[in-house]
């Protein structure tokens, strides 16, 4: 939900570094980009709607004079994605510039007041009140730092913001509340950023800003003020992620690179075993209930967690969407372990729920981003060791979350055998990836025709003739995914992936639920992906396969090598090592579905890394 960067350098032009850094945050928003630098008593500004590369081609964003500046990529909330609504925003006389990530909830009343005092507004954004408020306060004699403090006493909502003023050259003042902001401390180069990939190339020394603390960057260093404006020291963490981890390294998209990194993620996350054992030893005797809270893909990982913890550790387990938490969390008590799963550790709904749960229960965060808000607020943390995930669609971090959950459930249930099995999973995934061409080839059937060849036209003119062709998925706009037990959550995650990056409407159902309604939607235009790993539920999911096949659906079967029943009944199939049973299926069977969504997206000429309307990290409720 927007990315911000600020940088102060000593005797060096800032715009190329600022541009490079903000480009690394494009996954947080790609509605617009803008940079502002300070030079010779003047703010230089370039900004426009569009993706980073498009706007740079038009404006040459690296060409701005100055040694300090701020930059922004936007995911629009207030006001459409236009040039005028792009950040940075300026005060009326263009001497102060501000970038902001978050939402100022009371901006309308502030705007009204400022208008009555003679301020003009050019954009529809909530942010534009900030530079004008700073201006108003500086005109009363306050310096930039004091003015920013006064602003945050007035604004309500969520923010990470940074401001520069020509009256205080080579200085950035930044602050945050409910939106992430880190501080990078390099050699004569100082940064603020929404996330570490922006600055890894320049420094690994990171400090974290707490709510309503201020950071002041100038050419001689960085200083921090607590919420009462006392000068404070900060721990500086040296983070181990390298800048290469945030590059595509020869892959056409981050998503496919990240899919390919999943076996490494599993191996790395298994190294969390001692930490998980420590947490289990601390809490096991004191809990009688587990509650998972998460959004999106992290919610799907949580569903697997429910099935695992209930069956392995026999502890009652519930799962709630973070956005629904406040409506039904009344039964929490000190015997409940509430587990928050979040790749970013910054999802607004998840953090809100975490704050509520902290009042009555033990809390555990399963998170990928080091030092993120969830890790600092929960009682315990398990890191999914996936490295930076840039593709908007979660892939390797989902696998990391699952591994953390499998470790937790196995250790809660004293099931060392399952942990042993997890060490084989990277090999199964590598076997799947070695056969990715099968899925790539199949996904090409979803390619839309740009020009209809003449010889197809007569067929097309016959009603439905073209649509009903069984081996042709060009027209497909709806799909179903079905699974049972552990495979139900795989179906949900597979459907979400397809929706978010291929824009195909996809429904996931528990196989047994189809005949209670949704089967009415099945006909020969709706392909159905059937997840049928070996195990207790295999026969039952095969019956569900028969039900949809009888209604004309094309069947895409995902099952075990040698599963002749599935092979004979599917129109297409993708086969996986038969050692992968239904218990560990979520870790492996999801991979062909990730590949399917990726290659369908590519076949339809879409950008899987930057799906429309989405951002990597959802920092507003
Ligand atoms: O950072 P989080 O795990 O808290 O994010 C939760 C969801 O926003 C996220 O999983 C989202 O659904 C992804 N785009 C899924 O690919």
């Amino acid at each position: 939900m927007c990315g911000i960067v600020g940088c102060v350098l000593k005797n060096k032009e800032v715009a190329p570094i600022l541009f490079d850094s903000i480009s690394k945050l494009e996954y947080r928003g790609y509605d617009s980009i803008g940079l502002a630098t300070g030079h010779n008593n003047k703010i230089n500004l370039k900004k426009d709607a569009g993706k980073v590369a498009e706007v740079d081609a038009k404006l040459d964003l690296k060409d701005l004079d100055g040694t300090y500046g701020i930059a922004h990529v936007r995911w629009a909330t207030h006001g459409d994605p236009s040039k005028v609504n792009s950040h940075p925003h300026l005060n009326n006389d263009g001497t102060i510039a501000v970038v902001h990530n978050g939402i100022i909830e009371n901006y309308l009343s502030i705007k009204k007041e400022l208008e009555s005092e003679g301020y003009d507004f050019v954009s529809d954004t909530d942010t534009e009140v900030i530079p004008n408020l700073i201006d108003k306060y500086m005109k009363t004699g306050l310096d930039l730092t004091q003015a920013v403090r006064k602003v945050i006493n007035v604004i309500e909502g969520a923010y990470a913001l940074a401001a520069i003023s020509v009256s205080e050259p080579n200085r950035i003042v930044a602050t945050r509340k409910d939106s992430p902001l880190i501080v990078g401390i390099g050699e004569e180069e100082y940064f603020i950023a929404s996330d570490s990939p922006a600055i890894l190339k320049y420094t690994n020394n990171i400090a974290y800003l707490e709510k309503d603390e201020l950071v002041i960057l100038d050419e001689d260093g960085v200083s921090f003020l607590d919420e009462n404006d006392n000068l404070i020291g900060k721990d500086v963490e040296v983070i181990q992620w390298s800048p290469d981890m945030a590059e595509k390294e020869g892959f056409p998209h981050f998503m496919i690179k990240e899919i390919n990194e999943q076996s490494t993620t599993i191996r790395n996350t298994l190294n969390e075993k001692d930490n998980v054992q420590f947490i289990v030893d601390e809490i096991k005797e004191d809990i009688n209930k587990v509650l998972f809270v998460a959004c999106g893909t992290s919610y799907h990982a949580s569903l697997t967690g429910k099935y695992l913890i209930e069956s392995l550790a026999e502890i009652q387990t519930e799962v709630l969407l973070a956005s629904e938490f406040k409506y039904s969390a009344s039964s929490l008590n000190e015997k409940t372990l509430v587990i928050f799963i979040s790749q970013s550790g910054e999802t607004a709904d998840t953090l809100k729920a975490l704050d509520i749960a902290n009042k009555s229960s033990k809390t555990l965060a399963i998170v990928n981003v080091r030092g993120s808000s969830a890790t600092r607020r929960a009682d315990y943390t398990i890191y999914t060791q996936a490295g930076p995930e840039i593709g908007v669609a979660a892939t390797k971090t989902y696998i990391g979350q699952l591994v953390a959950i499998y470790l937790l459930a196995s250790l809660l249930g004293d099931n060392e055998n399952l942990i042993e099995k997890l060490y084989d999973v990277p090999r199964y995934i590598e076997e799947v990836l070695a056969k990715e061409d099968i899925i790539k080839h199949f996904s090409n059937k979803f390619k839309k025709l740009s020009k209809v060849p003449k010889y197809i036209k007569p067929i097309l003119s016959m009603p439905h003739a073209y649509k009903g062709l069984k081996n042709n998925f060009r027209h497909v706009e709806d799909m179903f995914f079905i699974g049972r037990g552990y495979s139900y959550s795989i179906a949900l995650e597979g459907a979400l992936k397809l929706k978010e990056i291929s824009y195909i409407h996809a429904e996931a159902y528990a196989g047994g639920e189809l005949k209670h309604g949704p089967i009415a939607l099945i006909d020969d235009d709706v392909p159905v992906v059937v997840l049928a790993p070996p195990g207790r539920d295999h026969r039952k999911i095969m019956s569900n396969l028969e039900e949809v096949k009888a209604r004309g659906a094309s069947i895409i079967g995902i099952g075990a090598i040698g599963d002749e029943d599935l092979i004979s009944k599917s129109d297409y199939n993708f086969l996986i090592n038969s050692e992968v049973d239904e218990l560990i299926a979520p870790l492996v069977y999801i991979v062909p579905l990730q590949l399917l969504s990726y290659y369908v997206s590519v076949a339809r000429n879409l950008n899987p890394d930057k799906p429309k309307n989405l951002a990597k990290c959802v920092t507003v409720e």
Side-chain angles (χ1 to χ4, degrees), residues 293-300 322 341-348 350 366-369 389 391-395 397-398 401 493 496-497 500-501 611 614-618:
V293 181
C295 306
T297 289
S298 303
Y299 174 76
H300 298 152
I341 306 202
S342 176
Q343 182 285 129
S344 59
E346 299 292 351
T347 299
T350 308
I366 299 181
V367 173
N368 192 48
V369 176
E389 185 176 71
V392 166
T395 53
T397 54
Y398 172 66
Q401 292 168 347
E493 176 57 10
L496 175 63
K497 290 285 92 88
E500 70 180 330
I501 61 165
L614 295 182
K616 182 75 182 157
C617 176
V618 183

mmCIF file of all heavy atoms in Angstrom, residues 293-300 322 341-348 350 366-369 389 391-395 397-398 401 493 496-497 500-501 611 614-618, ligand 1:
data_model
loop_
_atom_site.group_PDB
_atom_site.id
_atom_site.type_symbol
_atom_site.label_atom_id
_atom_site.label_comp_id
_atom_site.label_asym_id
_atom_site.label_seq_id
_atom_site.Cartn_x
_atom_site.Cartn_y
_atom_site.Cartn_z
ATOM 1 N N VAL A 293 -5.167 -16.393 13.077
ATOM 2 C CA VAL A 293 -5.760 -15.170 12.514
ATOM 3 C C VAL A 293 -4.869 -14.705 11.365
ATOM 4 O O VAL A 293 -3.650 -14.571 11.538
ATOM 5 C CB VAL A 293 -5.849 -14.058 13.591
ATOM 6 C CG1 VAL A 293 -6.494 -12.813 13.018
ATOM 7 C CG2 VAL A 293 -6.604 -14.538 14.824
ATOM 8 N N ALA A 294 -5.457 -14.464 10.212
ATOM 9 C CA ALA A 294 -4.642 -14.084 9.045
ATOM 10 C C ALA A 294 -5.538 -13.621 7.903
ATOM 11 O O ALA A 294 -6.764 -13.695 7.995
ATOM 12 C CB ALA A 294 -3.808 -15.278 8.598
ATOM 13 N N CYS A 295 -4.922 -13.168 6.829
ATOM 14 C CA CYS A 295 -5.643 -12.740 5.621
ATOM 15 C C CYS A 295 -5.072 -13.479 4.401
ATOM 16 O O CYS A 295 -3.891 -13.844 4.386
ATOM 17 C CB CYS A 295 -5.434 -11.257 5.342
ATOM 18 S SG CYS A 295 -5.812 -10.181 6.694
ATOM 19 N N GLY A 296 -5.883 -13.596 3.366
ATOM 20 C CA GLY A 296 -5.422 -14.062 2.051
ATOM 21 C C GLY A 296 -4.713 -15.399 2.121
ATOM 22 O O GLY A 296 -5.184 -16.362 2.751
ATOM 23 N N THR A 297 -3.570 -15.454 1.477
ATOM 24 C CA THR A 297 -2.790 -16.691 1.438
ATOM 25 C C THR A 297 -2.420 -17.157 2.845
ATOM 26 O O THR A 297 -2.432 -18.356 3.143
ATOM 27 C CB THR A 297 -1.517 -16.436 0.602
ATOM 28 O OG1 THR A 297 -1.929 -16.319 -0.762
ATOM 29 C CG2 THR A 297 -0.519 -17.560 0.723
ATOM 30 N N SER A 298 -2.111 -16.220 3.719
ATOM 31 C CA SER A 298 -1.744 -16.583 5.086
ATOM 32 C C SER A 298 -2.926 -17.244 5.797
ATOM 33 O O SER A 298 -2.746 -18.110 6.655
ATOM 34 C CB SER A 298 -1.290 -15.339 5.851
ATOM 35 O OG SER A 298 -0.225 -14.720 5.176
ATOM 36 N N TYR A 299 -4.123 -16.854 5.417
ATOM 37 C CA TYR A 299 -5.332 -17.494 5.962
ATOM 38 C C TYR A 299 -5.413 -18.949 5.487
ATOM 39 O O TYR A 299 -5.759 -19.850 6.233
ATOM 40 C CB TYR A 299 -6.557 -16.694 5.518
ATOM 41 C CG TYR A 299 -7.886 -17.296 5.882
ATOM 42 C CD1 TYR A 299 -8.380 -17.226 7.180
ATOM 43 C CD2 TYR A 299 -8.660 -17.951 4.914
ATOM 44 C CE1 TYR A 299 -9.605 -17.783 7.512
ATOM 45 C CE2 TYR A 299 -9.885 -18.512 5.236
ATOM 46 C CZ TYR A 299 -10.355 -18.429 6.530
ATOM 47 O OH TYR A 299 -11.571 -18.989 6.853
ATOM 48 N N HIS A 300 -5.052 -19.157 4.237
ATOM 49 C CA HIS A 300 -5.094 -20.538 3.723
ATOM 50 C C HIS A 300 -4.068 -21.422 4.430
ATOM 51 O O HIS A 300 -4.340 -22.587 4.719
ATOM 52 C CB HIS A 300 -4.863 -20.557 2.209
ATOM 53 C CG HIS A 300 -5.938 -19.811 1.466
ATOM 54 N ND1 HIS A 300 -5.737 -19.196 0.260
ATOM 55 C CD2 HIS A 300 -7.227 -19.566 1.818
ATOM 56 C CE1 HIS A 300 -6.861 -18.616 -0.117
ATOM 57 N NE2 HIS A 300 -7.776 -18.821 0.809
ATOM 58 N N ALA A 322 -8.549 -12.075 9.654
ATOM 59 C CA ALA A 322 -8.190 -10.972 10.556
ATOM 60 C C ALA A 322 -9.232 -9.861 10.513
ATOM 61 O O ALA A 322 -9.556 -9.248 11.540
ATOM 62 C CB ALA A 322 -6.813 -10.428 10.185
ATOM 63 N N ILE A 341 -0.524 -15.116 11.306
ATOM 64 C CA ILE A 341 0.346 -15.462 10.186
ATOM 65 C C ILE A 341 0.330 -14.308 9.196
ATOM 66 O O ILE A 341 -0.739 -13.834 8.790
ATOM 67 C CB ILE A 341 -0.123 -16.759 9.496
ATOM 68 C CG1 ILE A 341 -0.227 -17.850 10.562
ATOM 69 C CG2 ILE A 341 0.828 -17.151 8.391
ATOM 70 C CD1 ILE A 341 -0.173 -19.231 10.049
ATOM 71 N N SER A 342 1.516 -13.849 8.831
ATOM 72 C CA SER A 342 1.592 -12.714 7.912
ATOM 73 C C SER A 342 2.962 -12.671 7.260
ATOM 74 O O SER A 342 3.978 -12.662 7.949
ATOM 75 C CB SER A 342 1.354 -11.417 8.695
ATOM 76 O OG SER A 342 1.522 -10.300 7.853
ATOM 77 N N GLN A 343 2.983 -12.669 5.951
ATOM 78 C CA GLN A 343 4.254 -12.524 5.246
ATOM 79 C C GLN A 343 4.929 -11.223 5.653
ATOM 80 O O GLN A 343 6.069 -11.193 6.091
ATOM 81 C CB GLN A 343 3.992 -12.538 3.721
ATOM 82 C CG GLN A 343 5.205 -12.452 2.820
ATOM 83 C CD GLN A 343 5.847 -11.071 2.727
ATOM 84 O OE1 GLN A 343 7.072 -10.952 2.918
ATOM 85 N NE2 GLN A 343 5.090 -10.031 2.477
ATOM 86 N N SER A 344 4.178 -10.137 5.528
ATOM 87 C CA SER A 344 4.763 -8.805 5.734
ATOM 88 C C SER A 344 4.921 -8.452 7.204
ATOM 89 O O SER A 344 5.796 -7.670 7.562
ATOM 90 C CB SER A 344 3.853 -7.753 5.087
ATOM 91 O OG SER A 344 2.560 -7.826 5.684
ATOM 92 N N GLY A 345 4.026 -8.998 8.039
ATOM 93 C CA GLY A 345 4.004 -8.570 9.434
ATOM 94 C C GLY A 345 3.478 -7.149 9.590
ATOM 95 O O GLY A 345 3.594 -6.548 10.658
ATOM 96 N N GLU A 346 2.886 -6.617 8.522
ATOM 97 C CA GLU A 346 2.406 -5.230 8.556
ATOM 98 C C GLU A 346 0.947 -5.113 8.127
ATOM 99 O O GLU A 346 0.437 -4.002 8.006
ATOM 100 C CB GLU A 346 3.245 -4.332 7.637
ATOM 101 C CG GLU A 346 4.711 -4.232 7.988
ATOM 102 C CD GLU A 346 4.993 -3.498 9.306
ATOM 103 O OE1 GLU A 346 4.056 -2.921 9.876
ATOM 104 O OE2 GLU A 346 6.148 -3.544 9.768
ATOM 105 N N THR A 347 0.273 -6.227 7.868
ATOM 106 C CA THR A 347 -1.111 -6.154 7.401
ATOM 107 C C THR A 347 -1.987 -5.522 8.486
ATOM 108 O O THR A 347 -2.019 -5.997 9.630
ATOM 109 C CB THR A 347 -1.606 -7.570 7.044
ATOM 110 O OG1 THR A 347 -0.762 -8.063 6.005
ATOM 111 C CG2 THR A 347 -3.041 -7.575 6.582
ATOM 112 N N ALA A 348 -2.688 -4.461 8.117
ATOM 113 C CA ALA A 348 -3.409 -3.654 9.122
ATOM 114 C C ALA A 348 -4.415 -4.484 9.910
ATOM 115 O O ALA A 348 -4.472 -4.404 11.141
ATOM 116 C CB ALA A 348 -4.099 -2.479 8.442
ATOM 117 N N THR A 350 -4.486 -7.643 10.495
ATOM 118 C CA THR A 350 -3.818 -8.625 11.352
ATOM 119 C C THR A 350 -3.240 -7.933 12.585
ATOM 120 O O THR A 350 -3.345 -8.442 13.705
ATOM 121 C CB THR A 350 -2.708 -9.333 10.536
ATOM 122 O OG1 THR A 350 -3.304 -9.818 9.319
ATOM 123 C CG2 THR A 350 -2.102 -10.496 11.289
ATOM 124 N N ILE A 366 3.872 -15.683 12.988
ATOM 125 C CA ILE A 366 4.653 -16.422 11.991
ATOM 126 C C ILE A 366 4.804 -15.467 10.812
ATOM 127 O O ILE A 366 3.830 -15.153 10.120
ATOM 128 C CB ILE A 366 3.963 -17.738 11.585
ATOM 129 C CG1 ILE A 366 3.823 -18.639 12.818
ATOM 130 C CG2 ILE A 366 4.733 -18.436 10.467
ATOM 131 C CD1 ILE A 366 3.170 -19.991 12.569
ATOM 132 N N VAL A 367 6.012 -14.958 10.626
ATOM 133 C CA VAL A 367 6.215 -13.771 9.790
ATOM 134 C C VAL A 367 7.473 -13.952 8.938
ATOM 135 O O VAL A 367 8.422 -14.623 9.347
ATOM 136 C CB VAL A 367 6.373 -12.525 10.703
ATOM 137 C CG1 VAL A 367 6.744 -11.294 9.923
ATOM 138 C CG2 VAL A 367 5.086 -12.266 11.471
ATOM 139 N N ASN A 368 7.480 -13.296 7.778
ATOM 140 C CA ASN A 368 8.680 -13.363 6.936
ATOM 141 C C ASN A 368 9.604 -12.156 7.106
ATOM 142 O O ASN A 368 10.819 -12.301 7.065
ATOM 143 C CB ASN A 368 8.271 -13.488 5.458
ATOM 144 C CG ASN A 368 9.458 -13.861 4.589
ATOM 145 O OD1 ASN A 368 10.208 -14.782 4.922
ATOM 146 N ND2 ASN A 368 9.656 -13.135 3.510
ATOM 147 N N VAL A 369 9.016 -10.968 7.253
ATOM 148 C CA VAL A 369 9.852 -9.758 7.250
ATOM 149 C C VAL A 369 10.404 -9.483 8.653
ATOM 150 O O VAL A 369 9.637 -9.267 9.600
ATOM 151 C CB VAL A 369 9.051 -8.542 6.731
ATOM 152 C CG1 VAL A 369 9.893 -7.274 6.825
ATOM 153 C CG2 VAL A 369 8.627 -8.787 5.287
ATOM 154 N N GLU A 389 10.207 -11.416 -0.612
ATOM 155 C CA GLU A 389 9.279 -11.855 -1.666
ATOM 156 C C GLU A 389 8.740 -10.597 -2.340
ATOM 157 O O GLU A 389 8.107 -9.766 -1.696
ATOM 158 C CB GLU A 389 8.145 -12.674 -1.065
ATOM 159 C CG GLU A 389 7.214 -13.254 -2.114
ATOM 160 C CD GLU A 389 6.150 -14.142 -1.482
ATOM 161 O OE1 GLU A 389 5.243 -13.592 -0.810
ATOM 162 O OE2 GLU A 389 6.198 -15.358 -1.645
ATOM 163 N N GLY A 391 7.175 -10.594 -5.768
ATOM 164 C CA GLY A 391 5.940 -10.842 -6.520
ATOM 165 C C GLY A 391 4.756 -10.599 -5.590
ATOM 166 O O GLY A 391 4.792 -11.010 -4.427
ATOM 167 N N VAL A 392 3.725 -9.946 -6.119
ATOM 168 C CA VAL A 392 2.574 -9.639 -5.263
ATOM 169 C C VAL A 392 1.879 -10.927 -4.793
ATOM 170 O O VAL A 392 1.403 -11.024 -3.671
ATOM 171 C CB VAL A 392 1.598 -8.694 -6.007
ATOM 172 C CG1 VAL A 392 0.256 -8.628 -5.312
ATOM 173 C CG2 VAL A 392 2.214 -7.295 -6.083
ATOM 174 N N ALA A 393 1.866 -11.932 -5.665
ATOM 175 C CA ALA A 393 1.251 -13.206 -5.274
ATOM 176 C C ALA A 393 2.211 -13.975 -4.364
ATOM 177 O O ALA A 393 3.349 -14.244 -4.735
ATOM 178 C CB ALA A 393 0.935 -14.018 -6.523
ATOM 179 N N ALA A 394 1.739 -14.322 -3.192
ATOM 180 C CA ALA A 394 2.599 -15.049 -2.248
ATOM 181 C C ALA A 394 2.813 -16.483 -2.723
ATOM 182 O O ALA A 394 1.857 -17.174 -3.067
ATOM 183 C CB ALA A 394 1.944 -15.048 -0.873
ATOM 184 N N THR A 395 4.059 -16.920 -2.757
ATOM 185 C CA THR A 395 4.357 -18.312 -3.146
ATOM 186 C C THR A 395 5.310 -18.931 -2.135
ATOM 187 O O THR A 395 4.918 -19.729 -1.308
ATOM 188 C CB THR A 395 4.947 -18.380 -4.574
ATOM 189 O OG1 THR A 395 6.079 -17.492 -4.656
ATOM 190 C CG2 THR A 395 3.921 -18.018 -5.619
ATOM 191 N N THR A 397 6.653 -17.675 0.441
ATOM 192 C CA THR A 397 6.373 -17.365 1.850
ATOM 193 C C THR A 397 5.221 -18.240 2.359
ATOM 194 O O THR A 397 5.167 -18.570 3.545
ATOM 195 C CB THR A 397 6.030 -15.875 2.040
ATOM 196 O OG1 THR A 397 4.962 -15.533 1.170
ATOM 197 C CG2 THR A 397 7.237 -15.002 1.737
ATOM 198 N N TYR A 398 4.308 -18.626 1.447
ATOM 199 C CA TYR A 398 3.231 -19.566 1.828
ATOM 200 C C TYR A 398 3.850 -20.902 2.243
ATOM 201 O O TYR A 398 3.494 -21.473 3.271
ATOM 202 C CB TYR A 398 2.289 -19.721 0.639
ATOM 203 C CG TYR A 398 1.232 -20.788 0.785
ATOM 204 C CD1 TYR A 398 0.227 -20.676 1.739
ATOM 205 C CD2 TYR A 398 1.218 -21.899 -0.059
ATOM 206 C CE1 TYR A 398 -0.768 -21.645 1.853
ATOM 207 C CE2 TYR A 398 0.234 -22.875 0.047
ATOM 208 C CZ TYR A 398 -0.754 -22.742 1.005
ATOM 209 O OH TYR A 398 -1.733 -23.706 1.118
ATOM 210 N N GLN A 401 5.410 -20.522 5.549
ATOM 211 C CA GLN A 401 4.398 -20.519 6.616
ATOM 212 C C GLN A 401 3.955 -21.944 6.927
ATOM 213 O O GLN A 401 3.824 -22.343 8.092
ATOM 214 C CB GLN A 401 3.173 -19.702 6.172
ATOM 215 C CG GLN A 401 3.452 -18.215 6.034
ATOM 216 C CD GLN A 401 2.328 -17.460 5.331
ATOM 217 O OE1 GLN A 401 1.431 -18.062 4.729
ATOM 218 N NE2 GLN A 401 2.370 -16.139 5.386
ATOM 219 N N GLU A 493 -6.110 -22.012 -2.017
ATOM 220 C CA GLU A 493 -4.929 -21.225 -2.369
ATOM 221 C C GLU A 493 -4.716 -21.234 -3.893
ATOM 222 O O GLU A 493 -4.367 -20.209 -4.480
ATOM 223 C CB GLU A 493 -3.705 -21.765 -1.614
ATOM 224 C CG GLU A 493 -2.382 -21.116 -1.933
ATOM 225 C CD GLU A 493 -2.329 -19.597 -1.709
ATOM 226 O OE1 GLU A 493 -3.253 -19.018 -1.134
ATOM 227 O OE2 GLU A 493 -1.351 -18.995 -2.171
ATOM 228 N N LEU A 496 -7.156 -18.796 -5.364
ATOM 229 C CA LEU A 496 -6.759 -17.396 -5.116
ATOM 230 C C LEU A 496 -5.646 -16.982 -6.074
ATOM 231 O O LEU A 496 -5.667 -15.885 -6.651
ATOM 232 C CB LEU A 496 -6.305 -17.215 -3.655
ATOM 233 C CG LEU A 496 -5.764 -15.821 -3.314
ATOM 234 C CD1 LEU A 496 -6.831 -14.747 -3.467
ATOM 235 C CD2 LEU A 496 -5.191 -15.774 -1.897
ATOM 236 N N LYS A 497 -4.675 -17.865 -6.274
ATOM 237 C CA LYS A 497 -3.557 -17.528 -7.181
ATOM 238 C C LYS A 497 -4.093 -17.235 -8.574
ATOM 239 O O LYS A 497 -3.711 -16.266 -9.224
ATOM 240 C CB LYS A 497 -2.529 -18.669 -7.269
ATOM 241 C CG LYS A 497 -1.684 -18.918 -6.044
ATOM 242 C CD LYS A 497 -0.593 -17.888 -5.819
ATOM 243 C CE LYS A 497 -1.040 -16.776 -4.941
ATOM 244 N NZ LYS A 497 -0.911 -16.900 -3.522
ATOM 245 N N GLU A 500 -5.986 -13.861 -8.690
ATOM 246 C CA GLU A 500 -5.270 -12.600 -8.517
ATOM 247 C C GLU A 500 -4.318 -12.282 -9.655
ATOM 248 O O GLU A 500 -4.108 -11.127 -9.965
ATOM 249 C CB GLU A 500 -4.596 -12.491 -7.150
ATOM 250 C CG GLU A 500 -3.433 -13.375 -6.884
ATOM 251 C CD GLU A 500 -2.853 -13.158 -5.470
ATOM 252 O OE1 GLU A 500 -2.927 -12.053 -4.923
ATOM 253 O OE2 GLU A 500 -2.308 -14.134 -4.928
ATOM 254 N N ILE A 501 -3.758 -13.298 -10.315
ATOM 255 C CA ILE A 501 -2.813 -12.915 -11.372
ATOM 256 C C ILE A 501 -3.294 -13.234 -12.781
ATOM 257 O O ILE A 501 -2.734 -12.733 -13.745
ATOM 258 C CB ILE A 501 -1.398 -13.490 -11.145
ATOM 259 C CG1 ILE A 501 -1.428 -15.009 -11.128
ATOM 260 C CG2 ILE A 501 -0.771 -12.946 -9.881
ATOM 261 C CD1 ILE A 501 -0.039 -15.571 -11.281
ATOM 262 N N PRO A 611 -0.260 -7.598 -10.426
ATOM 263 C CA PRO A 611 -1.673 -7.713 -10.789
ATOM 264 C C PRO A 611 -2.443 -6.427 -10.500
ATOM 265 O O PRO A 611 -2.109 -5.698 -9.556
ATOM 266 C CB PRO A 611 -2.168 -8.858 -9.898
ATOM 267 C CG PRO A 611 -1.147 -9.059 -8.856
ATOM 268 C CD PRO A 611 0.147 -8.518 -9.366
ATOM 269 N N LEU A 614 -3.983 -4.609 -6.929
ATOM 270 C CA LEU A 614 -3.406 -5.230 -5.728
ATOM 271 C C LEU A 614 -2.110 -4.553 -5.317
ATOM 272 O O LEU A 614 -1.447 -3.912 -6.123
ATOM 273 C CB LEU A 614 -3.121 -6.711 -5.977
ATOM 274 C CG LEU A 614 -4.324 -7.604 -6.235
ATOM 275 C CD1 LEU A 614 -3.886 -9.044 -6.425
ATOM 276 C CD2 LEU A 614 -5.312 -7.516 -5.089
ATOM 277 N N ALA A 615 -1.758 -4.739 -4.058
ATOM 278 C CA ALA A 615 -0.433 -4.335 -3.577
ATOM 279 C C ALA A 615 0.056 -5.438 -2.658
ATOM 280 O O ALA A 615 -0.734 -6.211 -2.128
ATOM 281 C CB ALA A 615 -0.520 -3.020 -2.818
ATOM 282 N N LYS A 616 1.342 -5.499 -2.494
ATOM 283 C CA LYS A 616 1.923 -6.600 -1.725
ATOM 284 C C LYS A 616 1.508 -6.567 -0.258
ATOM 285 O O LYS A 616 1.294 -7.597 0.348
ATOM 286 C CB LYS A 616 3.453 -6.502 -1.849
ATOM 287 C CG LYS A 616 4.204 -7.614 -1.145
ATOM 288 C CD LYS A 616 4.117 -8.903 -1.928
ATOM 289 C CE LYS A 616 4.800 -10.057 -1.238
ATOM 290 N NZ LYS A 616 4.253 -11.337 -1.714
ATOM 291 N N CYS A 617 1.427 -5.384 0.279
ATOM 292 C CA CYS A 617 1.249 -5.286 1.717
ATOM 293 C C CYS A 617 0.058 -4.369 1.988
ATOM 294 O O CYS A 617 0.059 -3.217 1.554
ATOM 295 C CB CYS A 617 2.552 -4.707 2.289
ATOM 296 S SG CYS A 617 2.491 -4.421 4.026
ATOM 297 N N VAL A 618 -0.961 -4.887 2.656
ATOM 298 C CA VAL A 618 -2.207 -4.137 2.801
ATOM 299 C C VAL A 618 -2.223 -3.451 4.165
ATOM 300 O O VAL A 618 -2.605 -4.039 5.167
ATOM 301 C CB VAL A 618 -3.420 -5.062 2.612
ATOM 302 C CG1 VAL A 618 -4.725 -4.272 2.693
ATOM 303 C CG2 VAL A 618 -3.324 -5.772 1.270
HETATM 304 O O1 LIG B 1 1.510 -9.977 4.448
HETATM 305 P P1 LIG B 1 0.336 -10.844 4.723
HETATM 306 O O2 LIG B 1 0.659 -12.303 4.697
HETATM 307 O O3 LIG B 1 -0.364 -10.476 6.001
HETATM 308 O O4 LIG B 1 -0.682 -10.577 3.562
HETATM 309 C C1 LIG B 1 -1.934 -11.184 3.537
HETATM 310 C C2 LIG B 1 -2.574 -11.074 2.172
HETATM 311 O O5 LIG B 1 -2.715 -9.728 1.811
HETATM 312 C C3 LIG B 1 -1.760 -11.795 1.107
HETATM 313 O O6 LIG B 1 -1.576 -13.133 1.429
HETATM 314 C C4 LIG B 1 -2.453 -11.691 -0.250
HETATM 315 O O7 LIG B 1 -3.644 -12.436 -0.219
HETATM 316 C C5 LIG B 1 -1.539 -12.161 -1.366
HETATM 317 N N1 LIG B 1 -1.663 -11.282 -2.486
HETATM 318 C C6 LIG B 1 -1.839 -13.533 -1.824
HETATM 319 O O8 LIG B 1 -1.054 -13.929 -2.888
#
